[in-house]
Amino acid sequence: MRAVDLVRRRPLVITEDRPFIEAVDLMAKENTGSVVVVEDLNSMKLRGIITERDVIRALANRVPLDTPVGKVGTMGPRVVRARVDDSVGTVASLMVNYRVRHVIVVDDEDRVVGVISIRDLLGDLDAVREVAKLDRYPKVRE
């Protein structure tokens, strides 16, 4: 089973120049814990992710609600991503090693294909079986 097989819906996306309150509104409206930050809505090139944890950190630090998403979310090379053909074991390994609940799935040109949440992973019995067969998590690239 490949990473792309766990993508269940179109990703929620926003550009990094938008106020982070828009990402919060989108998360609340769609009942999800993250929004992917893209370069622009046409290219869908990955720039980052804003998660519930990022929002809580920003609010605790009294960051103004009109602060751009790019200043609040996790951006650039620190964003945890999987390639479409990566195994489910690799996705699980990324979540464990980086202590994240969302892994962004990208194609070879770093365009966003979708997001896999821990709920998506655990909600797919075939994926759980595949991960359960591992005697250790696969090495992940740095």
Side-chain angles (χ1 to χ4, degrees), residues 38-105:
V38 294
E39 189 173 292
D40 63 71
L41 300 178
N42 292 321
S43 75
M44 294 293 282
K45 286 275 208 177
L46 178 62
R47 300 288 292 159
I49 187 170
I50 183 166
T51 67
E52 293 166 321
R53 289 179 183 176
D54 295 319
V55 170
I56 288 170
R57 225 177 273 118
L59 294 174
N61 290 319
R62 308 297 191 259
V63 172
L65 299 178
D66 61 351
T67 301
V69 167
K71 302 263 189 230
V72 175
T74 303
M75 306 299 290
R78 296 182 316 136
V79 178
V80 179
R81 69 195 82 192
R83 301 284 174 202
V84 291
D85 289 327
D86 282 347
S87 71
V88 170
T90 297
V91 172
S93 185
L94 288 166
M95 288 180 174
V96 169
N97 289 339
Y98 291 99
R99 300 180 67 192
V100 296
R101 295 178 284 187
H102 301 92
V103 172
I104 302 167
V105 179

Side-chain angles (χ1 to χ4, degrees), residues 16-54:
E16 63 187 305
D17 60 323
R18 304 304 308 155
F20 94 88
I21 189 62
E22 286 184 22
V24 173
D25 289 342
L26 193 54
M27 282 187 248
K29 178 182 173 201
E30 298 295 332
N31 193 32
T32 191
S34 68
V35 177
V36 179
V37 183
V38 294
E39 189 173 292
D40 63 71
L41 300 178
N42 292 321
S43 75
M44 294 293 282
K45 286 275 208 177
L46 178 62
R47 300 288 292 159
I49 187 170
I50 183 166
T51 67
E52 293 166 321
R53 289 179 183 176
D54 295 319

